[in-house]
Amino acid sequence: MSRLSVVVPAYNEGESLREFHARLAAVFDKLDLAGDVLYVDDGSRDDTYAVMCSLRETDARVATLKLSRNFGKELALTAGLDQVDADAVVVIDADLQDPPELIPAFVQHWREGYDVVYGTRSARAGESGLKKFTARAFYRVMERLSATPVPRDTGDFRLMSRRALDALKRLRERQRFMKGLFAWVGFKQIAVVYDRDPRFAGVSKFNFWRLWNFALEGITSFSGAPLKLATYVGLSTALLAFLSAAWVFGKALFFGDSVRGYPTLMVVILALGGVQLMALGMIGEYLGRLYMEVKQRPLYLIDELHPARAQEKLENSARPAQSSAVD
Ligand code: UDP
Ligand code: MG
């Protein structure tokens, strides 16, 4: 029987986890394949890990992974996916914004031969107008800039076949923009449209500052367009400068030189200074990422790993809890 693993990154989701697992277990019971779930605790400060452990004790299909600190969702997800060796994997949030009940539909498409089945949101209940607007704007910008199209209004909620997962595992960059990496991998993909529910409990971990950085990450990881922008802004300002130089010379030749033009001078100096700083900043964004990449640090550190007991029986080789670095 083929096997399906579900990876759930969680950061301070103690309140949602039990409800989440109850719903996921109900879905597993109806599936005609062996399902197991890996909960990744991304350095939570509440009782998330304790809840995970108690779920593992009561349900043999539960595996848990605890990271040494909070690494952020992208890396928590990576840590989880690195552990998976099932025939297919589903990635889903712990806050019940993505309904686990959609998994059978994903599996259905996977059996039809799709390698990636992703959930596309048609509605975002419980999210502010501003968030909806910025999210939309972000997906549109990504679409224009990125060479590998990132599907619109699509989060991380998706199913991947084994070969798509193996391909994804080969992308070891430190600055991880998962949506883009998923898209980069390619293969036969299909969208399943669903309504995004409000959070079951707690608040979103992504405030605007984090979302802005997330957007920057996405754009810089998948597009060099901002770097080119500096070239074109520079070229057009240089052109403007030539034209105005001709104008200034002409005026001085025909009408004599009068010492005026302080405002023009200021405008030019300020505009050029601004453009230069902006271009420098843009280069800095890339340089900073290059710097992080060059250090070759491990992506994340594992504190504890407990495989699912159901899985251990299958493999007949119990892996002990371990502390290890993975890069
Ligand atoms: N998450 C995580 N590490 C973090 C932040 C979030 O593992 O540093 C998890 C979180 O527990 C949830 C998922 O990522 O399962 C999505 O987070 P959230 O619901 O806050 O994001 P949103 O749905 O608002 O985009
Ligand atoms: Mg959420």
Side-chain angles (χ1 to χ4, degrees):
M1 188 156 66
S2 46
R3 228 154 42 76
L4 172 79
S5 287
V6 177
V7 173
V8 189
Y11 176 55
N12 297 344
E13 304 284 3
E15 285 174 83
S16 316
L17 265 184
R18 280 182 201 285
E19 172 71 15
F20 175 86
H21 188 70
R23 277 174 61 179
L24 183 67
V27 171
F28 275 164
D29 292 339
K30 274 183 247 142
L31 278 179
D32 54 347
L33 35 71
D36 54 60
V37 53
L38 172 61
Y39 289 110
V40 183
D41 174 24
D42 187 16
S44 302
R45 274 166 299 181
D46 65 353
D47 60 346
T48 299
Y49 190 61
V51 175
M52 286 179 183
C53 289
S54 75
L55 289 175
R56 190 184 70 233
E57 270 145 31
T58 49
D59 190 335
R61 296 170 296 195
V62 176
T64 61
L65 173 63
K66 184 183 196 306
L67 297 184
S68 65
R69 63 171 171 85
N70 178 250
F71 279 91
K73 182 183 177 187
E74 317 288 300
L75 287 175
L77 206 56
T78 307
L81 290 174
D82 283 347
Q83 299 298 328
V84 171
D85 60 354
D87 303 297
V89 61
V90 167
V91 172
I92 185 170
D93 286 355
D95 58 6
L96 285 169
Q97 280 194 285
D98 308 325
E101 290 75 20
L102 221 59
I103 293 176
F106 283 12
V107 170
Q108 186 62 37
H109 285 299
W110 170 56
R111 290 206 166 121
E112 286 163 12
Y114 288 95
D115 284 284
V116 180
V117 189
Y118 54 84
T120 289
R121 303 146 185 174
S122 63
R124 291 167 165 255
E127 290 185 357
S128 69
L130 190 60
K131 174 146 187 188
K132 279 182 211 166
F133 174 76
T134 47
R136 269 177 78 93
F138 170 70
Y139 286 111
R140 301 302 176 272
V141 170
M142 274 309 290
E143 207 160 89
R144 295 298 292 272
L145 288 186
S146 166
T148 44
V150 175
R152 287 182 187 191
D153 298 322
T154 298
D156 296 332
F157 183 29
R158 64 186 59 226
L159 176 145
M160 277 176 289
S161 69
R162 182 55 189 261
R163 62 176 184 158
L165 174 67
D166 286 342
L168 186 71
K169 281 185 189 172
R170 289 170 58 191
L171 307 181
R172 302 313 291 176
E173 57 207 78
R174 272 122 194 103
Q175 310 289 324
R176 296 182 81 78
F177 177 66
M178 290 307 272
K179 287 184 213 302
L181 298 183
F182 287 142
W184 188 91
V185 163
F187 291 121
K188 209 172 160 198
Q189 314 208 347
I190 189 170
V192 173
V193 179
Y194 71 106
D195 288 344
R196 194 155 207 233
D197 297 324
R199 270 186 156 267
F200 178 73
V203 290
S204 171
K205 275 83 196 173
F206 288 84
N207 56 28
F208 270 95
W209 180 240
R210 243 181 130 157
L211 279 174
W212 164 247
N213 281 315
F214 181 69
L216 265 187
E217 201 66 73
I219 290 166
T220 52
S221 301
F222 281 87
S223 166
L227 284 173
K228 286 189 207 141
L229 191 67
T231 318
Y232 294 112
V233 172
L235 273 179
S236 41
T237 33
L239 196 71
L240 269 179
F242 280 128
L243 290 179
S244 55
W247 163 250
V248 169
F249 271 122
K251 221 174 74 168
L253 272 181
F254 294 112
F255 304 102
D257 188 15
S258 59
V259 187
R260 272 190 300 170
Y262 173 73
T264 355
L265 212 60
M266 281 314 281
V267 168
V268 169
I269 290 175
L270 290 179
L272 275 183
V275 168
Q276 281 172 355
L277 281 182
M278 202 183 75
L280 263 183
M282 240 132 60
I283 296 171
E285 290 288 341
Y286 284 89
L287 190 68
R289 285 175 172 78
L290 212 63
Y291 175 56
M292 296 310 284
E293 208 65 47
V294 157
K295 288 193 220 202
Q296 292 285 318
R297 284 188 185 155
L299 269 65
Y300 54 84
L301 292 176
I302 294 175
D303 184 359
E304 282 178 46
L305 169 66
H306 299 280
R309 273 172 288 131
Q311 197 43 45
E312 280 179 350
K313 254 181 276 163
L314 271 176
E315 287 173 2
N316 206 11
S317 64
R319 278 179 288 175
Q322 61 189 52
S323 167
S324 61
V326 187
D327 64 6

